[in-house]
Amino acid sequence: MQRQMYIEAGSEAHLHMHEMSQRALALTAEINGTYHKPEELRRLFFELIGQEADETFGLFPPFYTDYGRNITVGKRVFINMGCCFQDQGGIAIGDDVLIGHQVVIATLNHDPDPAKRGNMTPAPVKIGSRVWIGSHATILPGVTVGEGAVIAAGAVVTKDVPVNTVVAGVPAKIIKKIGE
């Protein structure tokens, strides 16, 4: 998956994805199933992603992911309620990132051929430092969001976002440069 190679339905890689999804489902059920103090949420989240816990991280559940181990987060990251991360292709989040309610980050594309629709191609999403992603935004596979950018609420991001820009719409387009 990290090599962004084509994954055939039923292959060893595909079966591994399903195995890992069971682990992620169990941990997200624990995260989402009852109230946890912030330090306990951090512990569970970092167990899910396999990264050393960071005291500056914040999460308001529920949170959903179908793999977990391909998410990395920087310092002072906050993820708000209802976010869904499809991280098989990899999601890298920089420092000082704010992620709004019900943001979706997808890293898999299915084959467009109906006969091969179960096959997938992973592509990572990279979010630079000091990015703000508004509520209900969707970021599609292979997108890089430049440092300091803002993704407006409800935007569907299909292409890379330059540094210090604001994008909005479906599909998202640059509406201004920050500082202008």
Side-chain angles (χ1 to χ4, degrees), residues 23-24 27-28 31 44-50 63 65 68-69:
R23 180 188 165 281
L27 282 165
T28 55
I31 288 169
L44 289 165
F45 182 84
F46 284 98
E47 180 181 344
L48 173 68
I49 70 170
F63 174 79
T65 187
R69 287 295 175 134

Side-chain angles (χ1 to χ4, degrees), residues 135-150:
S135 296
H136 296 273
T138 299
I139 302 174
L140 296 182
V143 167
T144 296
V145 180
E147 288 193 14
V150 175

